[in-house]
Amino acid sequence: MITIPIDRSEDADYIYHQIYQRIKEEIFSRNLLPGKKLPSKRELAKALNVSINSVNAAYQQLLAEGYLYSKERKGFFVEQIETFHATEHSKPLQLEKELAEGENRGSGWISFSHMSVDTAHFPFKTWLRCEQKAVASHTDELGEMTHPQGVYQVRQTIARFIALTRGVKCHPEQIVISAGTQPLIHIIQDLLPESALYAMEEPGYSRIYQLLKNERKRVVTIGLDHKGIRISDIQALDPDVLFVTPSHQFPTGIIMPVSRRIQLLNWVSDGEDRYIVEDDYDSEFKYGSDTIPALQSLDRSEKVIYIGTFSKSLLPGLRISYMVLPQKLLKRYRKRHHFSIQSSSVLTQFALQELIESGEYQKHIKKMNQIYEEKRTRLIGSLEKTFTGRVKIKGASAGLHFVADFETERSEEEILMRARENRVEVYGMNRFSLNSKKEIRTGTASLVLGFAKIGMDQIDEGVVKLYQAVCG
């Protein structure tokens, strides 16, 4: 008879699982050999003083997993199972040191991250109502596979909205919805020639740069002047695809004037298979003037691929972005991706549609623009007061971050280390250097300061801690 100690304490595992686990261990340790007949369910239940149902559940699970086989009217027998080869992995699994993740930056940290948003003022109740209405109105659609490009009604709403707010000209059929920007970049690569030469702003968005490099694409970087990406270098390098962030250059914050925009559009229209990818990542927020229309709104040759996201205006965790494809590329997309599965939650798409159509999205943006402007003004004022002439602010008229140049003898690496020791989350400009060699300039250091996540009551304390890291 098998000996199985049963733990009957309140916190113990289910009895059937204890029986299942012990028999499995006995099989692996070869105490129960292949072909061995197990006690009947009634016998084992009586021996263990448990119910027959508990023994039956354990036997059925072992049978389903292949540890046992049964013979009609004869009972259960141990299956022929090979033993594991002896390896170093037979010991308890331990995570290798270099794979361990860092701590989650929760309470006690002050965040100047450019990647975060203000969740304290997010209208969660309104969003939940939109989800509830989406469930009530679209029950059938939620139970089906949606179009690879996303729900058509939602694309209609987005098309109307970006035409009104960003001047983007498109039909709903041209919009592709996705769970984030990176999957859209993968699609764009697939639609363009394998040998295409990609060009990116320097400094720029390192995630996209690394994605392209990992895909073994040819990538060059082009520096900036006071108007944005340098047109003379574009003409000299002659790329096929140009990534730009004209409404709020990432990370410098430069806003590209219309003169440079027209130069870019003239350049792209002169090439047969040239395209510009416009990443309009935080265009909703502008301070001191109205928002500037998208580059795509000026495009007369259908050569701009427009990418937008709701990560900055709503929540990054909702994972909903979209792109507008020129019709030539849309034809390629339909041929190559008609089998694709839409990656963004259908419920989220319908909830977003309800949020926009009800006017609640616009109300939220207006409210957040005021809150972010107050934070931005307070942060700049606190920096100028604390650093007394030793800080210069750049790119602060739009978006959710700006660049601060500090006079200091400390290196960026040392500043960031001291900031972490003070539980301050902040990033330096070197993070966004792509292909160029990082310049080591004595006497200055540049930090990218986000102001979305930080609370108004944390700003002065955060600036004091920055001062300690930079100069103290």
Side-chain angles (χ1 to χ4, degrees), residues 73-298:
R73 297 181 180 178
K74 291 187 177 180
F76 295 88
F77 299 82
V78 178
E79 186 61 87
Q80 176 69 47
I81 301 173
E82 290 189 25
T83 57
F84 286 111
H85 294 169
T87 68
E88 62 180 2
H89 295 297
S90 59
K91 60 185 179 182
L93 179 63
Q94 292 183 335
L95 187 67
E96 295 180 27
K97 188 175 181 180
E98 61 267 30
L99 298 178
E101 297 182 13
E103 63 177 308
N104 291 324
R105 292 177 179 174
S107 60
W109 280 79
I110 294 176
S111 177
F112 291 105
S113 170
H114 60 281
M115 298 176 283
S116 304
V117 301
D118 185 336
T119 57
H121 294 92
F122 183 79
F124 284 103
K125 290 183 179 179
T126 301
W127 177 261
L128 289 174
R129 283 199 299 269
C130 289
E131 284 192 336
Q132 290 170 349
K133 189 165 184 179
V135 170
S137 304
H138 303 286
T139 304
D140 290 342
E141 293 98 320
L142 291 171
E144 299 173 353
M145 296 288 286
T146 191
H147 192 282
Q149 292 176 231
V151 178
Y152 185 77
Q153 304 99 296
V154 179
R155 287 184 277 141
Q156 284 180 311
T157 296
I158 292 175
R160 288 193 297 266
F161 183 73
I162 59 179
L164 179 67
T165 60
R166 306 296 300 128
V168 173
K169 300 170 292 187
C170 72
H171 299 282
E173 287 82 356
Q174 293 175 259
I175 293 177
V176 179
I177 297 173
S178 176
T181 299
Q182 288 189 344
L184 296 175
I185 302 301
H186 277 293
I187 293 172
I188 291 171
Q189 292 176 70
D190 186 53
L191 301 181
L192 298 174
E194 186 71 26
S195 60
L197 177 63
Y198 296 80
M200 293 192 64
E201 299 164 320
E202 176 70 80
Y205 191 25
S206 57
R207 293 180 191 273
I208 292 179
Y209 177 79
Q210 197 57 56
L211 185 155
L212 292 171
K213 296 294 285 186
N214 288 348
E215 295 290 331
R216 305 196 176 189
K217 300 300 180 183
R218 296 190 300 144
V219 190
V220 295
T221 58
I222 297 176
L224 311 173
D225 59 25
H226 68 287
K227 292 184 178 181
I229 194 165
R230 285 197 294 261
I231 192 71
S232 59
D233 289 355
I234 296 172
Q235 293 167 340
L237 290 167
D238 193 28
D240 302 294
V241 189
L242 180 65
F243 282 86
V244 290
T245 50
S247 295
H248 188 228
Q249 198 280 330
F250 185 82
T252 66
I254 296 171
I255 297 175
M256 186 181 291
V258 67
S259 59
R260 181 60 51 85
R261 292 173 185 236
I262 292 173
Q263 287 179 312
L264 290 184
L265 292 172
N266 285 337
W267 166 80
V268 77
S269 66
D270 288 341
E272 177 62 28
D273 219 17
R274 287 178 182 167
Y275 289 96
I276 292 174
V277 179
E278 177 184 12
D279 186 354
D280 209 22
Y281 67 99
D282 66 356
S283 59
E284 298 88 354
F285 305 109
K286 186 78 170 61
Y287 314 108
S289 65
D290 289 339
T291 56
I292 297 173
L295 176 67
Q296 197 266 10
S297 69
L298 300 172

Side-chain angles (χ1 to χ4, degrees), residues 390-394 403-407 429 441 445-447:
R390 300 175 68 179
V391 62
K392 182 179 180 181
I393 307 299
K394 300 186 298 186
V403 176
D405 293 338
F406 297 95
E407 294 180 11
M429 280 294 289
R441 295 182 299 159
S446 298
L447 302 180

Side-chain angles (χ1 to χ4, degrees), residues 11-121:
D11 298 329
D13 197 359
Y14 292 112
I15 288 176
Y16 90 89
H17 200 266
Q18 294 182 51
I19 299 169
Y20 152 85
Q21 192 66 38
R22 183 55 181 268
I23 293 176
K24 188 169 70 170
E25 291 170 359
E26 293 289 292
I27 292 172
F28 276 128
S29 65
R30 312 305 274 183
N31 290 328
L32 289 175
L33 296 174
K36 172 72 174 178
K37 184 178 184 301
L38 268 62
S40 69
K41 292 179 284 187
R42 188 177 301 277
E43 288 174 335
L44 188 56
K46 183 177 181 181
L48 300 179
N49 193 23
V50 299
S51 71
I52 294 177
N53 287 340
S54 294
V55 176
N56 182 56
Y59 278 8
Q60 293 301 326
Q61 186 63 34
L62 290 162
L63 186 66
E65 294 183 25
Y67 291 101
L68 304 179
Y69 65 91
S70 63
K71 291 182 180 181
E72 191 174 357
R73 297 181 180 178
K74 291 187 177 180
F76 295 88
F77 299 82
V78 178
E79 186 61 87
Q80 176 69 47
I81 301 173
E82 290 189 25
T83 57
F84 286 111
H85 294 169
T87 68
E88 62 180 2
H89 295 297
S90 59
K91 60 185 179 182
L93 179 63
Q94 292 183 335
L95 187 67
E96 295 180 27
K97 188 175 181 180
E98 61 267 30
L99 298 178
E101 297 182 13
E103 63 177 308
N104 291 324
R105 292 177 179 174
S107 60
W109 280 79
I110 294 176
S111 177
F112 291 105
S113 170
H114 60 281
M115 298 176 283
S116 304
V117 301
D118 185 336
T119 57
H121 294 92

Side-chain angles (χ1 to χ4, degrees), residues 370-439:
Q370 294 173 346
I371 291 172
Y372 287 143
E373 184 167 12
E374 290 174 6
K375 289 185 178 185
R376 177 195 69 116
T377 302
R378 173 76 174 271
L379 177 56
I380 292 173
S382 186
L383 286 166
E384 291 175 342
K385 179 181 178 181
T386 303
F387 284 86
T388 57
R390 300 175 68 179
V391 62
K392 182 179 180 181
I393 307 299
K394 300 186 298 186
S397 59
L400 301 180
H401 73 270
F402 54 75
V403 176
D405 293 338
F406 297 95
E407 294 180 11
T408 178
E409 296 304 316
R410 289 180 181 156
S411 67
E412 179 184 301
E413 184 179 6
E414 183 181 359
I415 291 169
L416 297 181
M417 180 190 70
R418 287 172 174 265
R420 284 194 298 271
E421 290 173 352
N422 269 335
R423 299 176 72 81
V424 173
E425 182 183 17
V426 66
Y427 300 93
M429 280 294 289
N430 281 340
R431 177 186 177 92
F432 311 102
S433 296
L434 304 182
N435 196 36
S436 65
K437 293 182 180 179
K438 298 178 182 179
E439 296 183 12

